[in-house]
Amino acid sequence: MSAKNDLPGTVQSRTPSNAGPSLARDLLRDVFGFTQFRPLQEAIVQHVCGGGEAFVLMPTGGGKSICYQLPSLLRPGTAIVVSPLISLMKDQVDALVANGVAAAMYNSSLAPGQARSALASFHAGELDLLYVAPETLMTKSFLERLDAVANRHGLALFAVDEAHCVSQWGHDFRPEYVRLGELRRAFPRVPFVACTATADPQTRDDVRAKLGLSAAPCFVGGFDRPNIRLSVVEKHNPLRQLTSFLAAHQDETGIVYCLSRERAEKIAGQLSAAGFSAAAYHAGLPAEDRHRIHDAFTTDRIRVVVATVAFGMGIDKGDVRFVIHYDLPKTIESYYQEIGRAGRDGRPSEALLLFARADAAVARALIRRSENNSQREHARVGIDLRKLNAMIGFADGTTCRRRALLGYFGEDVDTDCGNCDVCLDPPETYDATIDAQMVLSCVHRLGQRFGAAYVADVLVGAKSDQIRTRGHSAVSTYGIGAQKSREHWINLARQLVHRGYLRQDIARYSVLQLTERARPLLRGEERITLARPRTRVSLSRGERSSRSVGRAATALPTELNGPNAALLSNLRALRRRCAEEQGVPAYIVFNDATLLEMATLRPTTHTAFLTITGVGATKMRRYGDAFLAVIRDATAPHR
Ligand code: ADP
Ligand code: ZN
């Protein structure tokens, strides 16, 4: 199917001239079903339609695709989109075709017949977009095809998705991406758009240089997700912290991320044993199990998925209410990407990170251990360590989390967000001289041979066998800190490590040792101010729902009441039937946010139905009547 024959709006628009703003907006509505551009999208579309080149940095889910898909419809000729993963390509092409756009892909996964037909449409100038794998694109024979088609029909633009793959500094280097820069020289007049969600300046500059985009304007934005509350808490008894969080968030679904498969399994088991609906998900599970869990989570039959980073792609569930990091993520990029799975529907959601300094130390040690002598590996380790340090700095920070996060992604914000743990409950500092002296002197009394947890046990006067058999109940610091909690002392010990009063020997069981700096403090010649330890798990629900969390959050009701919930479930069932009939994933038909909006706004006419976000002309034609029937049925007065 070609958009040219199918969509009158598209035919008229395919003139070589610059696209007027209203034309772009019409297409956004008619083809994609969106009433408004997101910030920057419109500027990028105009810029590219005018023949410009662009470097686009936006988070995953930020809406990068529109930035090249819309210009592809507005400009004459076919757009060539380079994408590294066949599954991503397929998803995008399916979604475009579902919207009535003439899109196809060409890669090694196609049957010979499919490949021939894609190429035939391309040569006939029938396609708006052709998705191509980089290794295919840069072959001599394909470049010749490009040349031929460019001469006959013109090329609308080149778009490189996941452009960080071109850089060795990125986390996902692909050698076949490197040659993409040659396209700039071969087709200098074709607009070129590179998109990525990877932020650090080194990667960014490298990508731009390699693709010949150093002079191209850089569009950065859309990283804020104001409805997600960001919190970091000291990790002291993680399982208990997790269960009390889940108990306080009854009936909500969410994801718990941890770093290893074993741990995912273990925590899921513990949660199930404690009566929570939970399952583990990781790459070591058979594909069948992974599909089953993914499905059960999407359809609310499992409330909590305890997962490794493997759980992520294709989660199009709008009502994920929380994402908890049980372990420290390795980079801010992955942290951001993972918390971004919460609150896609714009309603209040939580991102909770359990942070332990010991985890940071272990993560550092693991990175160093992976080092061998090659120079490339050396550079790699350096990058990984810097990224980890940035993550630790974020977790350890005492400024507004959102400002810190957006700052990392190059978005400068000059006000605090009011929706993070630091803003809601700024850390309190106190004169900790006496507490610090107690910790340091306890470390000294124990012969500098024990870790923070043991030191804390001695301070509170714990009655453990180890302490008794080692005779530590007789040291002078035993029990002198009993009026405060064990966690309080562990936290103080960590702060003292952080400030350089204690050294933690990672190679030797994280044993604490005094440094030179500790002497004046111990002798009472110096005073010290520290943050008062906080060990709460999270804020109460009441506090959360009463706060304003930005415009997006108020667009939809927080709860669906009875009849709406029933309608939603009927709409979901219809969506499933449509998806099965056409052999596409359910979210290609309509995503959750679209169904939710239908259930809430209950459009009963074609015109009203078209105003729903995600409903364009093609989907209206294809599904409108069936969905309207379900809505009318639920809305008709009952006998
Ligand atoms: P990215 O490629 O940046 O990861 P996508 O382009 O896939 O993100 O867009 C993410 C989601 O946002 C998709 O579900 C898309 O339909 C939706 N979206 C994009 N632009 C808009 C818009 N202007 N209005 C409403 N939804 C949008
Ligand atoms: Zn804040």
Side-chain angles (χ1 to χ4, degrees):
M1 173 188 20
S2 160
K4 287 180 208 169
N5 310 326
D6 214 36
L7 289 169
T10 316
V11 182
Q12 289 156 14
S13 65
R14 291 171 66 91
T15 54
S17 68
N18 202 343
S22 65
L23 205 49
R25 242 172 276 146
D26 288 351
L27 274 188
L28 184 73
R29 192 192 55 235
D30 295 344
V31 177
F32 298 94
F34 302 146
T35 45
Q36 287 177 336
F37 279 108
R38 290 193 178 151
L40 286 188
Q41 279 179 337
E42 188 162 24
I44 298 167
V45 168
Q46 293 304 330
H47 178 77
V48 175
C49 282
E53 47 188 26
F55 181 74
V56 176
L57 180 65
M58 266 188 209
T60 307
K64 288 185 283 299
S65 332
I66 290 287
C67 301
Y68 55 82
Q69 288 173 350
L70 209 54
S72 308
L73 302 181
L74 287 160
R75 288 181 58 83
T78 305
I80 303 296
V81 184
V82 185
S83 177
L85 284 178
I86 288 173
S87 60
L88 289 181
M89 264 189 229
K90 184 166 175 352
D91 253 18
Q92 291 227 355
V93 171
D94 283 350
L96 284 166
V97 169
N99 279 326
V101 175
M105 62 176 186
Y106 183 67
N107 59 44
S108 55
S109 77
L110 297 183
Q114 291 173 308
R116 261 196 310 277
S117 125
L119 287 182
S121 311
F122 179 46
H123 281 281
E126 290 165 1
L127 293 178
D128 288 317
L129 296 102
L130 180 65
Y131 283 70
V132 191
E135 61 277 15
T136 312
L137 177 61
M138 299 312 291
T139 57
K140 188 159 174 291
S141 63
F142 201 90
L143 289 172
E144 281 165 10
R145 284 182 194 286
L146 275 187
D147 222 26
V149 174
N151 287 330
R152 200 168 325 141
H153 308 286
L155 293 174
L157 56 92
F158 287 107
V160 177
D161 208 358
E162 313 288 347
H164 59 274
C165 293
V166 81
S167 170
Q168 303 205 20
W169 301 110
H171 50 85
D172 210 7
F173 175 60
R174 286 165 197 261
E176 60 286 3
Y177 256 66
V178 174
R179 288 187 51 214
L180 292 175
E182 294 169 25
L183 290 171
R184 302 286 299 122
R185 290 184 283 282
F187 302 93
R189 275 189 294 278
V190 179
F192 198 99
V193 189
C195 305
T196 176
T198 292
D200 70 288
Q202 202 163 20
T203 310
R204 211 184 294 181
D205 293 347
D206 196 32
V207 170
R208 298 180 70 185
K210 292 234 165 68
L211 292 178
L213 291 175
S214 296
C218 184
F219 295 87
V220 181
F223 280 86
D224 194 11
R225 298 285 307 280
N227 61 315
I228 303 179
R229 167 163 300 170
L230 307 172
S231 313
V232 180
V233 299
E234 183 94 20
K235 177 175 177 178
H236 55 99
N237 183 339
L239 188 63
R240 204 173 61 209
Q241 290 174 294
L242 191 55
T243 51
S244 53
F245 180 96
L246 295 180
H249 293 76
Q250 288 294 352
D251 305 326
E252 295 182 351
T253 54
I255 309 170
V256 177
Y257 279 107
C258 52
L259 283 183
S260 75
R261 297 172 182 187
E262 297 74 34
R263 190 173 285 192
E265 303 249 352
K266 186 169 157 213
I267 299 167
Q270 286 167 325
L271 291 181
S272 303
F276 295 102
S277 155
Y281 185 107
H282 55 73
L285 293 175
E288 250 165 73
D289 290 359
R290 276 184 283 144
H291 285 306
R292 190 174 45 76
I293 292 163
H294 190 287
D295 217 53
F297 183 65
T298 314
T299 53
D300 291 336
R301 282 175 287 123
I302 291 177
R303 183 153 93 83
V304 183
V305 172
V306 186
T308 60
V309 292
F311 190 56
M313 240 196 302
I315 306 178
D316 193 54
K317 184 173 167 56
D319 61 352
V320 174
R321 287 274 72 80
F322 58 84
V323 168
I324 299 178
H325 282 94
Y326 193 94
D327 293 318
L328 186 72
K330 292 191 183 103
T331 65
I332 291 189
E333 280 93 345
S334 48
Y335 168 76
Y336 180 83
Q337 192 164 39
E338 284 151 14
I339 65 167
R341 292 177 186 132
R344 293 247 172 103
D345 54 12
R347 290 184 286 155
S349 308
E350 300 258 359
L352 176 69
L353 166 62
L354 301 180
F355 175 60
R357 197 138 263 295
D359 285 0
V362 170
R364 270 203 194 99
L366 280 176
I367 292 175
R368 290 221 173 83
R369 210 171 62 191
S370 72
E371 189 168 14
N372 59 31
N373 287 327
S374 78
Q375 201 156 24
R376 164 115 200 269
E377 261 315 294
H378 191 69
R380 170 90 266 159
V381 165
I383 296 163
D384 289 353
L385 280 177
R386 279 202 296 280
K387 294 209 166 211
L388 177 66
N389 285 339
M391 184 66 223
I392 296 170
F394 170 80
D396 219 17
T398 48
T399 50
C400 170
R401 306 272 179 213
R402 203 171 309 273
R403 283 178 84 168
L405 195 59
L406 295 178
Y408 178 82
F409 288 112
E411 269 187 71
D412 284 330
V413 188
D414 37 49
T415 48
D416 285 353
C417 79
N419 194 29
C420 73
D421 61 324
V422 177
C423 284
L424 292 170
D425 192 8
E428 189 193 334
T429 55
Y430 74 117
D431 182 339
T433 308
I434 295 177
D435 278 1
Q437 285 169 340
M438 281 157 66
V439 173
L440 296 176
S441 107
C442 192
V443 168
H444 178 64
R445 299 278 168 226
L446 296 176
Q448 311 192 50
R449 289 188 296 117
F450 296 89
Y454 190 84
V455 170
D457 279 341
V458 172
L459 280 167
V460 297
K463 296 184 178 38
S464 77
D465 288 347
Q466 287 175 326
I467 291 181
R468 215 182 15 258
T469 54
R470 288 184 180 126
H472 287 152
S473 46
V475 301
S476 61
T477 50
Y478 181 78
I480 59 167
Q483 75 285 14
K484 290 184 178 133
S485 71
R486 180 173 183 269
E487 284 75 33
H488 172 92
W489 295 113
I490 293 178
N491 181 296
L492 277 196
R494 284 184 188 137
Q495 292 193 55
L496 290 169
V497 170
H498 192 39
R499 303 279 195 101
Y501 292 88
L502 286 171
R503 196 174 27 241
Q504 195 163 27
D505 191 343
I506 299 151
R508 283 183 49 226
Y509 312 104
S510 296
V511 158
L512 294 177
Q513 292 168 309
L514 301 173
T515 66
E516 276 308 307
R517 285 199 70 175
R519 285 177 202 284
L521 190 56
L522 263 175
R523 286 199 295 258
E525 296 161 8
E526 195 183 87
R527 305 199 70 78
I528 186 170
T529 304
L530 294 174
R532 198 179 287 287
R534 296 200 283 188
T535 46
R536 288 166 316 98
V537 173
S538 98
L539 297 156
S540 72
R541 286 179 58 80
E543 200 175 342
R544 185 185 78 186
S545 49
S546 68
R547 290 206 192 239
S548 117
V549 286
R551 195 166 37 83
T554 54
L556 287 168
T558 320
E559 306 291 338
L560 276 184
N561 60 31
N564 276 352
L567 172 55
L568 184 62
S569 114
N570 290 341
L571 293 171
R572 283 213 171 104
L574 174 59
R575 174 176 69 175
R576 200 171 323 124
R577 285 199 300 279
C578 295
E580 274 162 15
E581 253 163 46
Q582 291 160 25
V584 294
Y587 60 84
I588 294 288
V589 177
F590 287 126
N591 68 20
D592 276 0
T594 299
L595 290 195
L596 193 65
E597 205 173 306
M598 284 183 203
T600 312
L601 301 180
R602 296 180 172 234
T604 52
T605 63
H606 285 156
T607 321
F609 195 71
L610 268 174
T611 64
I612 300 287
T613 306
V615 180
T618 299
K619 288 192 177 174
M620 167 76 201
R621 238 192 342 267
R622 201 169 284 168
Y623 308 116
D625 288 333
F627 280 79
L628 280 171
V630 169
I631 297 168
R632 286 195 196 114
D633 202 37
T635 313
H638 288 282
R639 278 170 289 155

